[in-house]
Amino acid sequence: MTTDTTTKDTAPDATTPDRTVLDARGVTMRFGGLTAVRGVDLTVRSGEIVGLIGPNGAGKTTFFNCLTGLYVPTEGEVRYKGTLLPPKSFKVTAAGIARTFQNIRLFSNMTVLENVLVGRHTRTKEGFWSAVLRGPGFHKAENASRARAMELLEFVGLAPKAEHLARNLPYGEQRKLEIARALASEPGLLLLDEPTAGMNPQETRATEELVFAIRDMGIAVLVIEHDMRFIFNLCDRVAVLVQGEKLIEGDSATVQGDDRVIAAYLGEPFEGAPGDEEAAEVHAAEAHAAPPAQAPTEAPAPAPTEAPADTPTEAEPGKENDR
């Protein structure tokens, strides 16, 4: 038995121009009475970098979780290269979609090389008995996986630290290691969730160059980020989520010039904002359910009348001796 070490450069149709890699249609995710994502459509084509932005709480990471099988969408469907994705994260990875996380999730007590080898498991065909018997096929597959892992560490600039523990890497290099581990599954689509969070300008620029290099390998990229300069320099298209709905999608110039996007980031209301219709329905329901106002049962007190002219009144303060 052997290991599938096919890279994306040789994978069939990996670099076919304008081929739709990801097709998400009407993705909706509800948690009880809360709708976190509502009817989002998004496509990503091969060799393309697409950005997903929006204010905090807009539903970006929830949408990522729906794409990668961590959540099963309440409504809608997600297709990868025309095939409907199963609602299991490990099957989504095997299909060709890999991701990183907003909070780094490395195996801190494993070496840098071992972390990348973990990402190879979906491309390894060795079974239980092969691992137990450790025959020639097992050693061949293991050597192939190590060679590929070292190639990826060289690609992200971490080859000299292959035997270091992951927890001992600086923050920026941990981010690179997570990307290398994702690439080890040989994806056709890579999802990056805030890859430059907490980085200084030099590290951000290095990450930008790394993402361009990944794109040049023929891998499509979908990235969430709050650094607008990074997003607009990097992406071919940008989609904006606001309150779980897609507000606009287009090139960087189109999105930057849209007044609704600016208003959404500033927290200012605007006509037709996502959630307005739902809020109006809630207010209408509350008004319909409120009990009608009841008429007063007691007669109103009579209005005071002016005292007759010859009726003595209380003297104003300080004028007690003027009577």
Side-chain angles (χ1 to χ4, degrees):
M1 299 180 71
T2 60
T3 299
D4 178 11
T5 57
T6 303
T7 65
K8 286 299 151 187
D9 291 335
T10 58
D13 298 327
T15 57
T16 303
D18 295 330
R19 177 180 181 180
T20 299
V21 176
L22 175 72
D23 186 10
R25 301 180 183 178
V27 174
T28 298
M29 188 67 209
R30 296 190 180 93
F31 300 95
L34 171 67
T35 302
V37 176
R38 181 190 299 275
V40 175
D41 298 331
L42 187 68
T43 60
V44 181
R45 294 184 288 272
S46 59
E48 187 178 38
I49 303 174
V50 177
L52 188 63
I53 65 173
N56 287 326
K60 303 182 294 298
T61 297
T62 300
F63 182 65
F64 260 35
N65 291 340
C66 291
L67 299 182
T68 54
L70 292 179
Y71 294 158
V72 179
T74 309
E75 298 174 13
E77 62 180 25
V78 181
R79 293 180 179 271
Y80 175 72
K81 294 184 177 180
T83 302
L84 186 65
L85 287 174
K88 298 288 184 180
S89 58
F90 68 94
K91 292 183 178 180
V92 171
T93 302
I97 297 179
R99 71 169 293 179
T100 64
F101 292 87
Q102 183 175 349
N103 298 317
I104 296 175
R105 297 186 183 182
L106 296 174
F107 298 99
S108 59
N109 291 321
M110 294 171 64
T111 67
V112 170
L113 177 60
E114 288 169 342
N115 268 273
V116 180
L117 287 172
V118 168
R120 292 287 308 164
H121 77 281
T122 57
R123 300 295 175 243
T124 303
K125 297 180 180 179
E126 296 299 310
F128 172 78
W129 288 112
S130 177
V132 171
L133 299 175
R134 303 180 72 84
F138 173 82
H139 290 293
K140 182 180 179 180
E142 188 176 57
N143 291 336
S145 290
R146 282 182 170 271
R148 179 56 180 157
M150 287 303 300
E151 288 178 8
L152 292 171
L153 289 177
E154 185 73 35
F155 176 70
V156 300
L158 293 178
K161 298 186 177 182
E163 299 303 324
H164 291 205
L165 291 180
R167 67 184 179 188
N168 293 333
L169 293 180
Y171 178 83
E173 292 184 349
Q174 289 188 22
R175 286 284 184 187
K176 288 183 178 180
L177 177 56
E178 197 173 33
I179 292 174
R181 185 180 62 184
L183 292 174
S185 66
E186 308 295 353
L189 173 65
L190 177 63
L191 277 59
L192 303 175
D193 194 347
E194 298 192 27
T196 67
M199 289 187 178
N200 60 41
Q202 291 76 20
E203 291 171 330
T204 298
R205 178 59 184 168
T207 302
E208 182 179 322
E209 294 174 353
L210 178 59
V211 175
F212 280 132
I214 292 170
R215 188 270 311 276
D216 293 342
M217 295 167 61
I219 300 174
V221 180
L222 178 60
V223 55
I224 293 174
E225 188 53 71
H226 285 292
D227 186 335
M228 294 297 101
R229 178 174 296 182
F230 174 81
I231 279 288
F232 292 134
N233 287 341
L234 185 74
C235 298
D236 302 299
R237 287 185 292 116
V238 178
V240 183
L241 287 188
V242 176
Q243 296 185 17
E245 298 182 40
K246 188 171 76 172
L247 180 64
I248 186 175
E249 180 181 345
D251 58 27
S252 298
T254 300
V255 172
Q256 289 182 79
D258 194 287
D259 293 337
R260 296 173 300 168
V261 175
I262 299 172
Y265 268 94
L266 294 177
E268 298 176 355
F270 56 92
E271 185 177 356
D276 277 1
E277 183 177 347
E278 183 177 2
E281 292 175 357
V282 171
H283 291 319
E286 290 176 348
H288 181 72
Q294 297 181 353
T297 56
E298 296 182 0
T305 57
E306 294 184 0
D310 56 348
T311 302
T313 60
E314 276 189 302
E316 294 180 20
K319 297 188 177 181
E320 292 85 349
N321 299 323
D322 292 345
R323 291 183 182 174

